[in-house]
Amino acid sequence: MKPAADVKNDTSKRILDIAEQLLLTRGFNAFSYQHISSELGVRNAAIHYHYPKKTDLGVALIQRYRRRFQRFVDAQHTLAPQQQLERYFTLTDAYFEHDQQICPSGILTTEYQTLPPEMQAEANAFVDEMRDWAVRIAEAGRSDGSMQYAGTSQAMGLLMLAALQGGLQLARTDQTVLPALKIQIRALLGLVTPLP
């Protein structure tokens, strides 16, 4: 028999998993605790026990995204800039290949004005972290000579993030968008061909 703490943590994780799926397919404002409790087969009170307010759930969800993202970035730090760029692309690909989802930062920025302040703060930090990694990739590529581009690495990182976020939305109606964007980003960075 599982200890009570393990059962509580397992239920909390399952709630976050369902909330994540709902966020990525509907958006934060388009689901309620009833959606989660129906999926879990429990009453709403069970959800409120773990996350008293929906804001608490939203903050926990974004914090989980941030931890995952940081682990992913940390795992890439020894790679060459072009390899890191290709890993950056895999984040977008993973969401699209999973039921043509929008990435969490895309949804959070779309709904930003309607999110509670606590969630806005976490969303800002998450988007900053995603942009900052793109900037570091562009800076490292310029430093080692593998990437040549006009403008600043800050602007290039922002362009990469914005293009891929927007590309995820457009790819829902035209599946050629993401491959075309990746080719163009490589070209803007002075990279003629992708890595094998």
Side-chain angles (χ1 to χ4, degrees), residues 80-140:
Q82 188 176 357
Q83 292 171 311
Q84 288 190 43
L85 176 68
E86 297 302 319
R87 296 300 193 286
Y88 195 82
F89 290 157
T90 66
L91 295 172
T92 305
D93 295 339
Y95 285 109
F96 184 74
E97 291 165 6
H98 192 269
D99 299 328
Q100 297 184 351
Q101 294 175 334
I102 303 298
C103 70
S105 60
I107 287 179
L108 293 168
T109 54
T110 299
E111 294 188 326
Y112 185 81
Q113 298 299 333
T114 63
L115 297 177
E118 302 92 332
M119 286 184 67
Q120 288 179 345
E122 287 293 328
N124 284 336
F126 183 42
V127 171
D128 287 348
E129 291 160 358
M130 293 188 70
R131 183 194 58 236
D132 291 347
W133 187 35
V135 169
R136 289 194 306 274
I137 292 169
E139 284 176 345

Side-chain angles (χ1 to χ4, degrees), residues 52-66:
K53 298 180 298 185
K54 192 176 176 194
T55 299
D56 300 324
L57 175 63
V59 167
L61 193 56
I62 300 169
Q63 288 173 343
R64 183 167 83 160
Y65 282 130
R66 292 180 64 198

Side-chain angles (χ1 to χ4, degrees), residues 20-94:
E20 177 176 359
Q21 183 66 24
L22 291 166
L23 175 77
L24 297 177
T25 54
R26 297 174 182 229
F28 186 74
N29 294 314
F31 76 85
S32 68
Y33 275 18
Q34 183 62 48
H35 291 102
I36 298 169
S37 62
S38 295
E39 179 76 21
L40 276 177
V42 298
R43 294 183 348 182
N44 281 1
I47 312 300
H48 285 283
Y49 171 76
H50 294 278
Y51 302 99
K53 298 180 298 185
K54 192 176 176 194
T55 299
D56 300 324
L57 175 63
V59 167
L61 193 56
I62 300 169
Q63 288 173 343
R64 183 167 83 160
Y65 282 130
R66 292 180 64 198
R67 287 189 302 272
R68 278 187 201 156
F69 181 71
Q70 193 55 57
R71 284 192 303 268
F72 183 81
V73 172
D74 290 347
Q76 317 307 320
H77 84 278
T78 60
L79 299 177
Q82 188 176 357
Q83 292 171 311
Q84 288 190 43
L85 176 68
E86 297 302 319
R87 296 300 193 286
Y88 195 82
F89 290 157
T90 66
L91 295 172
T92 305
D93 295 339

